[in-house]
């Protein structure tokens, strides 16, 4: 079956630091990959996505590249802000399936 | 604006009571989902529906029930059989080959 593994949190950084949150997956077929962000007390929001190998998704300074050879989709940002503090979820969806697979989420805390 | 509306935002349940959480969407999406989220935990799928008048159990369906009489609506009932209902409940929708969209959630607590 499909699975998504994210690095354990919390990840604690100072403002303007470089962020990496690791995500690896196993899947049948050729999945689409997603990063979602959840701010406290809210639902999940789609942050970025990639639908095929070597695609790079980007949004709001965040980036992730679909690496088929390493089955990874690591989230990066060059300079984090306090407002980036949230929980980040990596997810995949195999072609034709209505059921996505989510990682357990990684909490990011950014200090001023 | 297109979106997903969950209500109420906060809900309290008494012992032995059934409560119903509302989820309405105007995105014209076929599929709808209910997830449960516990503090510090990921998402667990309760039920999902790909089409009107049809729904499937997810990983933790015991103690919950749903209906899908209209494309726009997918209410979740937390029954008295669910002994530990305190959690954050999220409704989501999707179109074919599209990412999921989520509502803002309902927080259910026990009185």
């Amino acid at each position: 079956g499909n699975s998504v593994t994210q690095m354990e949190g919390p990840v604690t950084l100072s403002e303007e630091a470089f962020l990496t949150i690791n995500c690896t997956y196993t899947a049948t077929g050729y999945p689409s990959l997603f990063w979602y962000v959840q701010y406290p007390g809210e639902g999940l929001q789609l942050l970025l996505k990639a639908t095929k190998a070597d695609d790079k998704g980007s949004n709001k300074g965040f980036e992730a590249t679909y690496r088929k050879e390493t089955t990874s989709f690591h989230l990066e940002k060059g300079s984090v802000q306090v407002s980036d503090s949230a929980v980040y979820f990596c997810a995949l969806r195999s072609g034709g399936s209505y059921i996505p697979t989510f990682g357990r989420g990684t909490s990011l805390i950014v200090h001023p | 604006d297109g979106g997903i509306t969950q209500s109420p935002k906060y809900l309290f349940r008494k012992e032995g009571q059934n409560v119903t959480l509302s989820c309405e969407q105007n995105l014209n999406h076929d599929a709808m989902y209910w997830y449960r989220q516990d503090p510090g935990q990921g998402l667990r799928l309760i039920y999902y529906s790909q089409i009107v008048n049809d729904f499937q159990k997810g990983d933790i369906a015991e103690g919950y029930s749903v209906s899908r009489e209209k494309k726009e609506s997918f209410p979740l009932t937390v029954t008295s059989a669910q002994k530990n209902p305190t959690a954050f409940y999220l409704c989501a929708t999707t179109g074919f080959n599209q990412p999921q969209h989520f509502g803002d959630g309902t927080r259910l607590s026990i009185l």
Side-chain angles (χ1 to χ4, degrees):
Chain A
N2 297 340
S3 68
V4 174
T5 303
Q6 292 182 232
M7 62 191 289
E8 295 258 344
V11 173
T12 304
L13 296 172
S14 298
E15 204 164 25
E16 299 183 4
F18 185 86
L19 168 71
T20 300
I21 299 178
N22 290 338
C23 172
T24 57
Y25 67 89
T26 58
T28 54
Y30 303 95
S32 295
L33 302 175
F34 310 93
W35 276 103
Y36 288 85
V37 59
Q38 185 180 31
Y39 299 102
E42 298 183 8
L44 278 67
Q45 301 173 27
L46 180 67
L47 182 59
L48 53 84
K49 68 176 183 179
T51 57
K52 61 183 188 296
D54 300 324
D55 266 2
K56 177 186 283 188
S58 62
N59 187 23
K60 300 180 182 178
F62 291 90
E63 293 183 339
T65 301
Y66 189 142
R67 301 285 188 201
K68 188 178 177 184
E69 63 276 11
T70 55
T71 61
S72 65
F73 193 53
H74 305 321
L75 183 67
E76 297 181 336
K77 187 175 186 183
S79 176
V80 293
Q81 306 300 311
V82 172
S83 58
D84 293 326
S85 298
V87 179
Y88 293 82
F89 290 90
C90 184
L92 70 83
R93 189 166 162 187
S94 292
S97 170
Y98 274 94
I99 308 299
T101 300
F102 285 87
R104 291 172 62 87
T106 302
S107 174
L108 170 65
I109 301 169
V110 180
H111 293 294
Chain B
D1 281 349
I4 301 167
T5 302
Q6 288 191 241
S7 62
K9 192 167 178 65
Y10 300 96
L11 187 57
F12 297 91
R13 196 191 88 168
K14 294 180 181 178
E15 197 80 30
Q17 186 182 42
N18 294 351
V19 292
T20 298
L21 286 61
S22 171
C23 178
E24 302 281 330
Q25 58 114 348
N26 60 6
L27 297 169
N28 200 33
H29 285 167
D30 289 317
M32 298 187 73
Y33 311 75
W34 276 106
Y35 291 94
R36 171 178 171 142
Q37 187 176 30
D38 293 283
Q41 301 295 311
L43 304 177
R44 292 188 289 171
L45 183 63
I46 304 173
Y47 270 98
Y48 66 98
S49 168
Q50 296 182 22
I51 196 169
V52 174
N53 291 324
D54 186 52
F55 48 83
Q56 306 296 328
K57 292 182 179 180
D59 301 319
I60 56 164
E62 187 173 349
Y64 300 97
S65 66
V66 293
S67 63
R68 186 85 188 276
E69 297 176 1
K70 299 185 302 182
K71 187 175 185 177
E72 301 79 15
S73 179
F74 191 41
L76 173 73
T77 297
V78 183
T79 75
S80 57
Q82 173 49 248
K83 296 307 179 188
N84 183 24
T86 297
F88 190 50
Y89 291 86
L90 286 164
C91 177
T93 72
T94 190
F96 185 71
N97 269 343
Q98 296 297 314
Q100 285 184 318
H101 294 252
F102 285 82
D104 285 336
T106 293
R107 189 165 300 280
L108 176 62
S109 302
I110 296 296
L111 276 180

